[in-house]
Amino acid sequence: MYFSGLIIAIATFFIIGIFHPVVIKTEYYFGIKPWWIFLICGLCFICISLFITNCILSATLGVLGCSCLWSILELFEQKKRVERGWFPKNPNRA
């Protein structure tokens, strides 16, 4: 039996699960200013995944890179959610 697909699926599930609170906390403490960090990390992870011969590691890094890039969009969406009152606004951040 081959477990590579299952391993990649589980890794994807955990990566997406981790990025959800990361985006919320990033917007809460820093606003949308660190979007470029997600961009650089996402591009780096995707580029690295192109040179990895291990299928599982390459796919996981690709998913991690795409999740970083998707987090840019979610960071701006989170800002809108905070403005609508769906999430709390940080009172210590101007």
Side-chain angles (χ1 to χ4, degrees):
M1 292 195 331
Y2 298 100
F3 291 101
S4 55
L6 180 61
I7 293 169
I8 293 168
I10 292 170
T12 302
F13 178 76
F14 281 114
I15 289 170
I16 292 171
I18 289 170
F19 270 90
H20 180 70
V22 166
V23 167
I24 293 170
K25 295 295 183 184
T26 300
E27 197 287 324
Y28 184 81
Y29 289 109
F30 305 107
I32 57 171
K33 293 176 185 175
W35 71 267
W36 58 272
I37 296 171
F38 288 110
L39 176 67
I40 292 171
C41 290
L43 293 176
C44 287
F45 285 131
I46 289 172
C47 288
I48 292 169
S49 75
L50 295 174
F51 296 101
I52 302 292
T53 57
N54 183 309
C55 179
I56 295 172
L57 185 57
S58 177
T60 303
L61 286 174
V63 168
L64 185 60
C66 288
S67 294
C68 286
L69 295 178
W70 186 262
S71 293
I72 297 169
L73 173 68
E74 285 300 316
L75 193 60
F76 285 93
E77 291 294 320
Q78 182 65 19
K79 178 184 177 190
K80 292 178 187 175
R81 291 181 203 116
V82 170
E83 290 170 353
R84 291 180 187 135
W86 297 353
F87 282 85
K89 184 176 182 178
N90 186 351
N92 298 328
R93 190 171 44 86

